[in-house]
Amino acid sequence: GEDVEQSLFLSVREGDSSVINCTYTDSSSTYLYWYKQEPGAGLQLLTYIFSNMDMKQDQRLTVLLNKKDKHLSLRIADTQTGDSAIYFCAETLGPTGGGNKLTFGTGTQLKVEL
Amino acid sequence: GAGVSQTPSNKVTEKGKYVELRCDPISGHTALYWYRQSLGQGPEFLIYFQGTGAADDSGLPNDRFFAVRPEGSVSTLKIQRTERGDSAVYLCASSLGTLETQYFGPGTRLLVL
C-alpha cells in the first residue's frame, strides 16, 4: 500500500534554511512532488522530482531524493515570512488505469519567525 | 479562466440533505481529479476523469458519492444523504493530460450540521 509521512511542525528564523522531510513506502513511485498550501487557499505546486533523479534545484528550493531509504526532503534557502504555510509531499505511481492520482502526506506546518 | 475554479466556496447543509459541488477546470485540460481534505490531513483522492468518463472512482467512500463530467469540461461532485463525517474541503484539480502537472482550485469547504 501507499503511505506518506511527514513531521507536523517546523519553526525557523527568517533568513535561515528550512528542511522539510518526507518518507514514503511505495517503491514504485515515479514522481514525487512538493505542494504549498496557505490558509484558505488551494494547493500550489512548488517543485517535483522524477524517481530516477537524486537532486533537483530550483532557485531557493532544493529537493533531495534517497530512493533506497524512500526519503524525500525539501530545503528552502533564506526562508522568508511569506514561506509560512503547510507543505505537502505527494507521490504518484505514474500512469496507471487511474491516471496520475496523487497520494499526499499529512503536511508539515512551517512557521517562520522574525 | 486563468485557473481552476470551484463553486460554492463554502457550503453549509444539514445532515441528510443533498449537495452538489462544481469544478471548472482550466480550459483545454482533459484530466480532472477530485480530492477530499479533512481537517489536519492531506488531500485524499476520490475520482479521476479523462474526458467525459470516470477512469478511476476507487477513492469514492461509498455510493452516496457520485461525480459527472458530461461534456468533458465542468464536473459536478454529488453527495446524497450527507453525514457529519462528510464535512471537509473538496478540492478539484485539472491537468493538460494524464502525466501533466495537476493544478488545484481553491476548494469548497463543506460543513454538514
Side-chain angles (χ1 to χ4, degrees):
Chain A
E2 303 160 359
D3 196 13
V4 181
E5 295 185 352
Q6 300 178 238
S7 53
L8 292 179
F9 298 104
L10 176 65
S11 180
V12 300
R13 285 189 176 179
E14 188 178 41
D16 288 350
S17 292
S18 307
V19 179
I20 303 171
N21 296 301
C22 171
T23 59
Y24 60 99
T25 57
D26 198 320
S27 58
S28 303
S29 296
T30 54
Y31 288 93
L32 295 130
Y33 300 82
W34 284 103
Y35 281 85
K36 177 183 180 182
Q37 187 175 44
E38 295 178 272
L43 291 160
Q44 175 194 353
L45 177 66
L46 290 177
T47 187
Y48 65 91
I49 189 167
F50 189 53
S51 59
N52 67 355
M53 298 169 64
D54 298 324
M55 185 183 88
K56 181 178 180 181
Q57 186 155 2
D58 184 0
Q59 299 182 358
R60 291 192 298 124
L61 305 178
T62 302
V63 179
L64 295 177
L65 175 61
N66 181 329
K67 200 169 180 184
K68 173 177 171 289
D69 294 337
K70 299 188 183 68
H71 183 264
L72 180 74
S73 68
L74 174 69
R75 179 178 180 269
I76 306 173
D78 188 25
T79 313
Q80 303 297 307
T81 55
D83 295 324
S84 293
I86 300 176
Y87 290 79
F88 292 95
C89 65
E91 63 175 348
T92 181
L93 299 182
T96 65
N100 205 28
K101 61 185 178 185
L102 295 166
T103 300
F104 286 86
T106 52
T108 298
Q109 182 158 5
L110 173 64
K111 182 179 178 183
V112 182
E113 299 176 327
L114 296 173
Chain B
V4 178
S5 62
Q6 293 185 245
T7 54
S9 53
N10 292 280
K11 176 71 177 178
V12 181
T13 191
E14 293 179 343
K15 181 175 179 295
K17 300 289 188 183
Y18 168 83
V19 296
E20 289 190 351
L21 312 179
R22 176 187 168 110
C23 172
D24 280 87
I26 294 171
S27 178
H29 281 196
T30 61
L32 185 146
Y33 300 79
W34 284 98
Y35 294 83
R36 178 169 72 172
Q37 185 175 20
S38 300
L39 192 63
Q41 301 295 318
E44 293 179 313
F45 170 78
L46 294 176
I47 187 170
Y48 154 69
F49 288 89
Q50 179 57 46
T52 59
D56 183 356
D57 63 358
S58 62
L60 295 178
N62 51 59
D63 61 6
R64 295 187 297 106
F65 288 74
F66 189 71
V68 296
R69 195 186 185 200
E71 298 178 359
S73 178
V74 170
S75 176
T76 304
L77 179 65
K78 309 181 181 194
I79 311 174
Q80 298 177 321
R81 304 183 304 279
T82 52
E83 299 178 357
R84 292 193 181 89
D86 299 335
S87 297
V89 176
Y90 290 81
L91 296 166
C92 176
S94 70
S95 63
L96 193 59
T98 300
L99 292 182
E100 302 295 326
T101 299
Q102 293 179 36
Y103 295 90
F104 282 80
T108 293
R109 187 175 301 273
L110 175 67
L111 177 61
V112 182
L113 299 176

